[in-house]
Amino acid sequence: AQRVTQPEKLLSVFKGAPVELKCNYSYSGSPELFWYVQYSRQRLQLLLRHISRESIKGFTADLNKGETSFHLKKPFAQEEDSAMYYCALSGGATNKLIFGTGTLLAIQP
Amino acid sequence: SAVISQKPSRDICQRGTSLTIQCQVDSQVTMMFWYRQQPGQSLTLIATANQGSEATYESGFVIDKFPISRPNLTFSTLTVSNMSPEDSSIYLCSVEPFTGNNEQFFGPGTRLTVL
């Protein structure tokens, strides 16, 4: 079955501390993995995708096929990083997205 | 990118009635999707809106309950029929432009409350 798991509903870290948002997936083929972010009162938007292999707003995520994980990391958290983060996968011909349950990241000053 | 608008932004409806949600894009797109986000839960795909043919529904969603139209490459509607309080959710439209890079852009959502 296709599934995305985000084990943490809430992650609270202090400003300047490292951040790691966990994401594990289950998929029989070769999926494409994404991180979407929703800031307060804004719409859901793409943060990054594994095929781009780029850093966006200091965030990176590496696809680990052995562990079926796509954890989101940032070495030094900033207050503006506070948001809801969703991991998602896409596979097959339809490009439909399967979302995890989301992690609320709260950065404490 | 694509700019997406949804109407209405929110509504409060009575049980047994129906509501049609509109999704308008500022440019032609290849794919349009409808998602539901129930309170405290993640986004769940309802269906893919196909231009010129019937929508493709995900398991657990049927056309009689969620009829969808897509008359052209920039517009789609989702109707929530015979509503019950369990239909109270945020309904989101997303689109995939013709860039071919699988990136989806989301609308602002429609917050529906059924009494």
Side-chain angles (χ1 to χ4, degrees):
Chain A
Q2 303 171 13
R3 187 166 54 243
V4 177
T5 303
Q6 293 180 252
E8 302 140 330
K9 279 197 164 183
L10 171 66
L11 182 64
S12 181
V13 301
F14 286 102
K15 177 182 172 181
V19 172
E20 183 178 46
L21 299 169
K22 291 185 167 43
C23 172
N24 288 89
Y25 67 91
S26 173
Y27 188 76
S28 57
S30 294
E32 187 168 356
L33 274 295
F34 304 83
W35 276 99
Y36 279 82
V37 60
Q38 188 166 27
Y39 301 101
S40 179
R41 297 190 179 85
Q42 295 188 28
R43 67 185 65 189
L44 195 64
Q45 57 186 283
L46 179 67
L47 179 63
L48 54 78
R49 52 199 301 174
H50 88 268
I51 60 170
S52 300
R53 301 186 65 81
E54 56 189 347
S55 174
I56 304 293
K57 298 184 179 183
F59 285 97
T60 59
D62 291 319
L63 179 62
N64 185 322
K65 293 184 178 180
E67 295 182 0
T68 59
S69 68
F70 188 57
H71 303 326
L72 184 68
K73 299 177 183 179
K74 184 169 182 176
F76 308 104
Q78 298 171 289
E79 288 187 64
E80 54 265 34
D81 295 329
S82 294
M84 193 73 176
Y85 291 80
Y86 293 96
C87 183
L89 73 78
S90 171
T94 61
N95 296 335
K96 63 184 183 183
L97 289 171
I98 298 169
F99 283 87
T101 49
T103 298
L104 180 62
L105 177 62
I107 307 300
Q108 307 300 323
Chain B
S1 66
V3 178
I4 306 153
S5 61
Q6 284 185 234
K7 287 182 184 178
S9 59
R10 60 178 61 223
D11 207 342
I12 300 173
C13 300
Q14 295 296 321
R15 181 195 298 260
T17 63
S18 298
L19 177 73
T20 295
I21 303 167
Q22 298 180 3
C23 177
Q24 179 74 56
V25 195
D26 68 340
S27 58
Q28 292 185 344
V29 295
T30 175
M31 309 286 281
M32 295 184 79
F33 303 92
W34 286 99
Y35 290 84
R36 179 175 74 181
Q37 186 173 26
Q38 293 178 299
Q41 302 201 21
S42 186
L43 288 83
T44 301
L45 181 64
I46 297 171
T48 303
N50 301 309
Q51 195 264 327
S53 64
E54 202 168 277
T56 304
Y57 289 83
E58 297 300 305
S59 175
F61 297 97
V62 295
I63 188 171
D64 289 346
K65 176 66 176 177
F66 297 101
I68 287 171
S69 79
R70 189 177 172 191
N72 55 51
L73 294 176
T74 63
F75 186 77
S76 177
T77 67
L78 168 75
T79 299
V80 187
S81 303
N82 188 25
M83 289 184 284
S84 67
E86 292 71 36
D87 294 320
S88 296
S89 288
I90 297 174
Y91 291 86
L92 296 117
C93 168
S94 80
V95 305
E96 186 178 313
F98 280 105
T99 56
N101 66 358
N102 295 353
E103 182 172 350
Q104 287 188 28
F105 296 88
F106 283 80
T110 295
R111 184 180 293 273
L112 171 62
T113 303
V114 184
L115 303 178

